[in-house]
């Protein structure tokens, strides 16, 4: 796992490679992020306790997202909060990136690339939730 920070040390992105998996429950993000991402690696027969989630009031003032490459590859371009270029990273099958703060862009590198994206919600609209740059 690798954290990418801006010049002030603020977290922009977490890169979690397929080889970063550890057995058991592993939370990749800390409790302060609006998106919570963890990995599970268990053996046959492991039972996880039945549960439900309580209704708890939360406040999120920014959308954070996670992209997971199921197959194929993509280029992730990472920017700081002022949209200054920071770094490019290629994600391959089994890799994920968690976008905490700053900006980002994606370019698909292979035909039939399959990506899963999750983010905190509720989603309001493209016009309100995003500023697009070309």
């Amino acid at each position: 796992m690798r954290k990418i920070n801006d010049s002030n040390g603020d977290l922009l992105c977490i890169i979690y490679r397929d080889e970063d998996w550890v057995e058991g429950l592993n939370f990749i993000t800390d409790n302060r992020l609006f998106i919570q991402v963890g990995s599970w690696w268990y053996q046959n027969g492991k039972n996880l306790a039945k549960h439900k989630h309580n209704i708890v009031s939360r406040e999120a003032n920014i959308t954070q997202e996670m992209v997971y490459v199921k197959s194929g590859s993509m280029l992730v371009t990472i920017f700081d909060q002022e949209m200054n270029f920071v770094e490019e990273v290629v994600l391959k099958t089994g890799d994920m990136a968690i976008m905490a703060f700053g900006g980002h862009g994606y370019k698909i590198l292979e035909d039939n690339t399959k990506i899963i994206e999750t983010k905190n919600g509720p989603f309001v609209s493209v016009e309100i939730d995003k500023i697009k740059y070309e």
Side-chain angles (χ1 to χ4, degrees), residues 77-93:
T77 307
I78 301 163
F79 302 91
D80 66 15
Q81 198 63 33
E82 289 75 39
M83 292 303 290
N84 297 306
F85 172 81
V86 174
E87 186 172 336
E88 288 185 328
V89 178
V90 174
L91 298 182
K92 298 178 182 176
T93 299

Side-chain angles (χ1 to χ4, degrees), residues 1-2 4 13-17 20 78 89 91 96-97:
M1 179 173 78
R2 186 166 72 91
I4 299 171
C13 178
I14 299 170
I15 302 295
Y16 194 78
R17 301 281 185 191
D20 290 334
I78 301 163
V89 178
L91 298 182
M96 82 170 88

Side-chain angles (χ1 to χ4, degrees), residues 89-108:
V89 178
V90 174
L91 298 182
K92 298 178 182 176
T93 299
D95 295 343
M96 82 170 88
I98 303 162
M99 304 309 192
F101 297 98
H104 50 275
Y106 304 120
K107 180 179 180 181
I108 302 302

Side-chain angles (χ1 to χ4, degrees), residues 16-84:
Y16 194 78
R17 301 281 185 191
D18 190 45
E19 60 267 16
D20 290 334
W21 285 71
V22 295
E23 199 155 353
L25 173 62
N26 176 39
F27 262 87
I28 300 159
T29 55
D30 69 45
N31 291 339
R32 294 171 291 173
L33 290 183
F34 299 119
I35 188 168
Q36 296 292 294
V37 180
S39 64
W40 293 9
W41 178 354
Y42 295 119
Q43 303 305 320
N44 183 28
K46 171 71 174 173
N47 287 315
L48 290 95
K50 296 175 189 166
H51 67 281
K52 68 176 190 171
H53 294 268
N54 296 325
I55 296 173
V56 177
S57 181
R58 292 179 173 88
E59 183 177 331
N61 56 15
I62 191 168
T63 302
Q64 296 178 327
E65 69 186 42
M66 182 277 300
V67 289
Y68 172 79
V69 181
K70 181 182 183 302
S71 61
S73 62
M74 74 172 176
L75 178 70
V76 178
T77 307
I78 301 163
F79 302 91
D80 66 15
Q81 198 63 33
E82 289 75 39
M83 292 303 290
N84 297 306

Side-chain angles (χ1 to χ4, degrees), residues 97-116:
I98 303 162
M99 304 309 192
F101 297 98
H104 50 275
Y106 304 120
K107 180 179 180 181
I108 302 302
L109 300 176
E110 296 179 47
D111 288 341
N112 301 309
T113 293
K114 296 179 181 176
I115 307 292
I116 296 172

